[in-house]
Structures are given as C-alpha cells and as structure tokens.
Amino acid sequence: MSIRILGIESSCDETAAAIVADGREILSSVVASQIDIHRKYGGVVPELASREHLRRIVPVVREALENAKLDLREVDAIGVTHGPGLVGSLLVGITYGKTLAEALGKPLVPVNHLEGHIHAVFLEAHKAGITPALPAVCLVVSGGHTVLYEVRHKDGRNGDAAALWSYRKIGQTRDDAAGEAYDKVSKLLGLGYPGGPILDRLAAVAGDVRPPVKFGPTKIKGNAYDFSFSGLKTAVLYHLRENPDYVPEIQAREAAITKGERKFDQLLPLCSPKTLGLVKEFQNAVVRELVDRTTRAAEELGTPTILVSGGVAANRQLRATFEERSAALGLKSYFPSLALSTDNAAMIAAAAYPRLKNHILADVSLNACASLPLA
Ligand code: KG4
Ligand code: ZN
C-alpha cells in the first residue's frame, strides 16, 4: 500500500497543494498563482499575499484531492512548508495543515521550502526512470534565493526514497537573488513583472545583435562559490542613465503594460535592437555567473552531478549552458520540468516523505520561520 502525502505550500505568492505517493509519484498538483494581483506593484506585496492565500487555500486543497480522486481520510500525512518565506503567507499553510492533521489524526511533517526545490529535480528524474548519482552540487535559484548546496544521502542509500538527505551550504548570493536581478532589470526596461520569462524570450530572439555594453565577470573576494548580482543590476541602471535614447521606448513599453499589453508579441515590436542587445548581454552575464561558479564547485568537490531548481531554472539559456558545460566536463546536470521549477506543493510532499519515514514530525506548536536554514 503506498503512502500518500498531501503537500501544502504557501511561502510566497503561490497557493499550492499536491498529493504524492511514496515520495515519487505525483497524483495531483494544483498551483494558484497570484502574479496578476502583485504585478501592478512590481513585486510581491506581503499583506496581499497572505490575504490571497486565505482565500485560495481551501479550494486549492480540495482540487488537489479531487484530481487525485482521494478523500481527505485517505491521505496518510500532511507535509507543510514552514520556511523560509513570508511569515504571513507561511502561517496560512501551516495553520491549515495543522488543523487538518489534528482533525484527521494524521502526522504533520514540517518541510523546508529549499529542500522542496531540491526534491523537485528528483521527482522529475524519477518520472523518467533515472536516479541521479549523489553526491551532487545543487543550485537553488529563484526570486528569493540563490544558494549552492552539496547534497548527499545521509546513510549512503542512494536511490532509496525513504533515505534522509544531508545538505551543506557552500555558497550563496551576497546581495540580490538572480531572479530578483531579472525582475529589477525588467522594471528598469519597462518590461513589467515578473522579469525572468520576458527577458528570457527577448534574449532568445536577439540573435547576433551587437551588445551596446559589455558586462565582465563579477569579482567576489573570499568564497569562490558565492554570487553577487546587485552590481550587474546597477551597471544596467548606469548604462540606461548614460543613454537617454532608451527613454522613449521604455515609456512606450510601460504604457503598453499599463494597458494590459504585456505579451511577448506585443512587447517585442517596442524593443530596439539596442535593447535586445542589452537584454542578451545581461542574461549572458547572469548565466555565466551561475554556471561558472556551480560547475567549478562540482569539479573541485568531485561530485558527478549538478542539480538546478527554482524559478530561474526555467531559463532556457541557463539550461542549455549547464547541459553543454556538464557534458564537456563529464558531469550530468538535471532540472525539473518548468511546472516543477517554480513554487509548487508536489516538491513539498516529496520532501516530506523521507522525513515521515524517519519520524521527523511536528505538532501544533509548529511556527513559521522567515529565514529557516537548510544547512
Ligand atoms: O521559484 P519562484 O517561482 O519563486 C520564488 O521562490 O522566488 O521564482 C520566481 C522567479 C522570479 O524572479 C522570475 O522572474 C524568475 O523566477 N523566472 C525566471 C524565468 N522564469 C521565472 N528567470 C529567468 N528566466 C526565466 N525563464
Ligand atoms: Zn521557491
């Protein structure tokens, strides 16, 4: 008989619920995005996020159960994200998870959101019948995080879904997360929020257009596996300030977005070749930083595998570059599908499974932790 975990995720701006069997098989996964609510503010507004989670949590859990054709009583445990994230948002999922666990008399499993992102890669690989070799270097790269971990199975039981994992943080951003840099640069260019998806597509059509500016590698003193993106964002800002000819097209794009014309096909005609060149150069720089530092860590630590997860892992150039570089170095790199790259609850239910099997449970005193460390 399989063990079915209901995962609940509400750490930022997606209300999500999913049912995963034995930590591997996704029976359902429902994500209610709040992007349309936060878009006009250019980022997530915490008060609005928690209010929306409150509105969405019950129907989202109900839909996850319906899609899996299960009754609440048929669920074996509840896994819930308890950090890191926005406290007001986390508390909605935690309170609902606790209530369900108490009412049903089922175990409550606390899950770290970042551990969830790492499990998303394995969920995807298992769908294809692959067990990535551990130890691995894992890059979690999203709007809130840019962290590098060394990942192992605690007791060396590779491939066993019930085995606990161990994590060692080996690098992190010293300032902005990579997704945050995408979002800020997109805002500077009048391209709206979130920035990653639109900049990804614009960079892809830039072709061989000559970049109007060059961004060299970021110099970081100390840990070679740390990241920094605020200098790059500032370099874009200064370049725009020094070149007032960008102003009319930025204003035209802002006007289009205000009218709701934010689709790629609507924004592309409003971008000059110079802007496309700038976007491409920005993306080249972000991808170079992420790929160089991550592959360097894998080589130096002698890990055969690279795992990449989080919203920015959806970036096509990032995926292609990781794949090329890994192949050249004799490493393997793995990504989740696009749906599992961004925040979801299937990854939370998957991460809850080994914890449940090893009796790492919570009680009604479980609280939200904004900066919960993974390692
Ligand atoms: O993991 P996620 O959904 O939420 C957080 O935990 O932050 O990641 C959202 C972030 C946003 O900053 C968004 O701009 C970025 O991921 N993103 C991308 C792409 N798709 C989403 N960045 C680059 N390229 C993409 N295709
Ligand atoms: Zn996330």
Side-chain angles (χ1 to χ4, degrees):
M1 192 58 180
S2 64
I3 292 185
R4 292 173 294 215
I5 300 184
L6 165 65
I8 298 178
E9 155 65 35
S10 69
S11 66
C12 190
D13 61 340
E14 337 270 355
T15 318
I19 317 255
V20 175
D22 294 332
R24 294 267 166 94
E25 192 196 345
I26 303 174
L27 303 183
S28 66
S29 179
V30 178
V31 180
S33 167
Q34 302 178 2
I35 280 185
D36 286 338
I37 288 161
H38 301 289
R39 201 189 303 273
K40 54 178 168 297
Y41 305 101
V44 177
V45 183
E47 290 77 7
L48 295 182
S50 41
R51 199 174 72 191
E52 271 308 294
H53 284 304
L54 266 177
R55 261 175 22 88
R56 309 289 268 276
I57 189 89
V58 174
V60 163
V61 169
R62 192 177 299 142
E63 194 179 335
L65 288 161
E66 276 168 17
N67 292 354
K69 300 193 173 49
L70 286 178
D71 186 271
L72 254 185
R73 285 176 294 264
E74 294 172 289
V75 163
D76 297 292
I78 319 282
V80 66
T81 307
H82 67 122
L86 302 168
V87 169
S89 290
L90 286 163
L91 279 173
V92 176
I94 293 174
T95 308
Y96 193 51
K98 275 198 242 186
T99 311
L100 285 178
E102 276 295 302
L104 298 165
K106 308 273 173 167
L108 179 68
V109 189
V111 177
N112 183 306
H113 180 78
L114 297 167
E115 183 166 30
H117 273 302
I118 297 174
H119 274 261
V121 192
F122 276 71
L123 262 179
E124 197 66 39
H126 288 305
K127 268 203 255 171
I130 299 166
T131 302
L134 292 184
V137 162
C138 181
L139 172 68
V140 181
V141 60
S142 70
H145 310 277
T146 301
V147 205
L148 209 48
Y149 295 101
E150 187 187 33
V151 179
R152 300 176 176 273
H153 265 138
K154 247 188 185 155
D155 45 12
R157 286 189 287 153
N158 197 13
D160 179 351
L164 278 176
W165 299 27
S166 70
Y167 308 95
R168 184 168 73 90
K169 193 197 278 182
I170 55 174
Q172 64 186 320
T173 182
R174 298 201 178 165
D175 37 60
D176 293 350
E180 199 177 346
Y182 266 98
D183 295 338
K184 287 178 175 168
V185 165
S186 179
K187 194 169 184 183
L188 291 174
L189 290 171
L191 284 162
Y193 172 86
I198 182 79
L199 295 184
D200 183 358
R201 295 193 68 184
L202 291 173
V205 297
D208 296 332
V209 25
R210 237 167 57 88
V213 58
K214 281 282 192 188
F215 301 129
T218 304
K219 291 189 187 66
I220 297 179
K221 288 206 182 87
N223 188 358
Y225 310 147
D226 275 351
F227 302 91
S228 166
F229 294 102
S230 76
L232 181 59
K233 171 201 67 193
T234 310
V236 172
L237 174 69
Y238 286 167
H239 172 73
L240 293 174
R241 276 200 194 146
E242 284 156 13
N243 292 273
D245 51 319
Y246 282 108
V247 173
E249 56 173 309
I250 293 175
Q251 287 174 344
R253 292 189 293 262
E254 282 171 346
I257 296 226
T258 308
K259 280 193 281 171
E261 294 166 8
R262 66 177 75 91
K263 292 210 177 81
F264 173 73
D265 296 343
Q266 293 166 317
L267 292 170
L268 178 61
L270 303 177
C271 294
S272 65
K274 191 171 166 181
T275 291
L276 293 181
L278 174 61
V279 169
K280 173 104 184 144
E281 182 64 15
F282 164 75
Q283 176 153 291
N284 283 343
V286 175
V287 168
R288 181 183 58 223
E289 292 299 318
L290 294 174
V291 175
D292 282 359
R293 293 176 194 276
T294 306
T295 48
R296 177 171 175 178
E299 274 192 287
E300 290 180 354
L301 298 174
T303 64
T305 305
I306 291 173
L307 314 171
V308 189
S309 189
V312 182
N315 188 273
R316 289 168 296 173
Q317 190 179 332
L318 184 71
R319 288 178 176 240
T321 313
F322 260 120
E323 262 152 26
E324 264 167 40
R325 190 76 64 81
S326 313
L329 295 169
L331 306 169
K332 277 275 192 195
S333 52
Y334 298 92
F335 301 82
S337 61
L338 297 190
L340 289 178
S341 293
T342 47
D343 289 350
N344 65 87
M347 66 185 198
I348 302 304
Y353 181 72
R355 295 170 75 78
L356 175 69
K357 294 293 265 181
N358 290 277
H359 313 290
I360 302 172
L361 305 176
D363 60 22
V364 283
S365 66
L366 181 68
N367 209 343
C369 183
S371 53
L372 183 70
L374 180 56

